[in-house]
Amino acid sequence: MSEESVQANNVQTTALPRRTSQPWLLIAWMLLVYGFLYLPIGVVVLMSLNDSPILSLPFKGVTFDWYRLTLEDAAIRLSLLNSLKVAAAATVLATGLGLLAAFALYRYSFPGKNAFRIALNLPILLPGIVTGVAMLAYFSDLGWELSLATVIIGHVVFGIPVALGPMLTRLNQFPRSLEEAAYDLGAKPAEVFRDVIFPYIRSAVISGALLAFTLSFDEVVVTIFLTGRDNTLPMEIWGRLRTDITPEIAAVATLISAASGVIVLLSQWVTAQDR
């Protein structure tokens, strides 16, 4: 065999793609992980459709009566309204404060900058029970009565780092040449932020706000320590789970899971629009 033929064979052998050995192992592992994560949610959805007054098998038939009873339940409707109020207020405050913090970290260099960034992320790094107990002690020292207002403040604390993340990431990708060009054309700082910087990070702001809303709406651990007489929807569910577990609770949990999933997917879709 000539030297040219050997070289040609070597090139063809090198160019051939490497086959993944035993891909079924990877597929099986993926299915196992997803099953572990989402099978409990699937069971809750199944139980919410079961024509039985208790959460148990066997499956007796399909019914939507539990969803109808959920929508007709006055306590659930009131707690849902409270959750929407808390989540909306916490989202506005957390997004606004997160935007200010992100812009400060992006624009300025100051002593303790890294410590400031770490401190902003501590509320979501610490266990929720630690944050809840700390805030309860703080409000008690101030003499504040627990109410929806204290719940909002608590949700703002851990909502800020959630909203901060997408905005800071987007700001770090911002081309500074656009800002410099705007200043060269005579724009003022407020005009530069409004007309140049904010349109560039708008999708990140919306994405962070949606994530903060989802986290606030579903929060239980911190809310347990900060809630007063008015229940949020997760607290209403928690209270009922301690007395009587009915398919109505499964229906509420299914609706919350579906709403949260839609909001998270919407957040990802908004983020992907600028890629």
Side-chain angles (χ1 to χ4, degrees):
M1 182 179 294
S2 64
E3 184 178 352
E4 291 80 4
S5 299
V6 173
Q7 292 178 351
N9 289 334
N10 291 336
V11 171
Q12 292 177 358
T13 302
T14 305
L16 290 175
R18 297 181 60 184
R19 295 182 179 180
T20 304
S21 60
Q22 298 178 332
W24 59 271
L25 288 176
L26 181 60
I27 296 175
W29 178 252
M30 179 190 69
L31 294 176
L32 182 63
V33 171
Y34 278 102
F36 176 78
L37 292 174
Y38 296 108
L39 186 59
I41 299 178
V43 172
V44 170
V45 175
L46 184 65
M47 290 296 99
S48 70
L49 298 173
N50 190 13
D51 190 9
S52 172
I54 58 175
L55 282 174
S56 65
L57 294 173
F59 194 81
K60 296 184 178 181
V62 178
T63 181
F64 291 95
D65 289 344
W66 305 117
Y67 290 92
R68 178 179 57 80
L69 291 175
T70 296
L71 297 177
E72 294 175 353
D73 194 313
I76 289 181
R77 290 203 306 268
L78 179 59
S79 61
L80 173 61
L81 181 60
N82 289 335
S83 287
L84 292 175
K85 291 179 180 178
V86 169
T91 299
V92 171
L93 294 173
T95 304
L97 294 174
L99 178 58
L100 293 176
F103 194 74
L105 291 171
Y106 158 74
R107 173 62 62 83
Y108 303 107
S109 296
F110 51 88
K113 181 176 180 179
N114 290 332
F116 176 66
R117 178 181 297 182
I118 294 173
L120 286 173
N121 290 313
L122 275 180
I124 59 174
L125 297 177
L126 293 174
I129 190 172
V130 175
T131 304
V133 170
M135 298 199 70
L136 175 61
Y138 179 69
F139 291 140
S140 298
D141 289 341
L142 293 178
W144 289 9
E145 182 180 356
L146 297 182
S147 63
L148 290 182
T150 56
V151 175
I152 291 172
I153 296 174
H155 289 193
V156 169
V157 169
F158 61 76
I160 290 175
V162 174
L164 171 70
M167 291 186 286
L168 184 58
T169 301
R170 188 66 175 160
L171 276 172
N172 288 331
Q173 300 171 353
F174 178 73
R176 295 295 294 268
S177 57
L178 295 179
E179 184 179 358
E180 294 171 357
Y183 281 121
D184 290 340
L185 294 174
K188 298 179 180 179
E191 294 174 336
V192 172
F193 179 82
R194 183 191 62 199
D195 299 330
V196 179
I197 298 178
F198 186 78
Y200 187 85
I201 66 172
R202 184 187 295 114
S203 62
V205 174
I206 297 174
S207 176
L210 290 174
L211 291 176
F213 182 90
T214 303
L215 186 63
S216 174
F217 188 81
D218 296 341
E219 172 57 35
V220 175
V221 179
V222 175
T223 310
I224 289 176
F225 295 94
L226 302 180
T227 191
R229 298 179 180 178
D230 298 320
N231 275 343
T232 60
L233 185 56
M235 289 300 300
E236 180 70 22
I237 296 175
W238 172 254
R240 296 192 183 195
L241 286 176
R242 299 170 63 184
T243 56
D244 187 21
I245 303 177
T246 65
E248 187 179 354
I249 300 300
V252 177
T254 300
L255 293 175
I256 292 177
S257 299
S260 300
V262 169
I263 294 175
V264 171
L265 291 176
L266 180 60
S267 171
Q268 297 300 315
W269 178 81
V270 170
T271 303
Q273 296 307 301
D274 289 337
R275 293 179 180 176

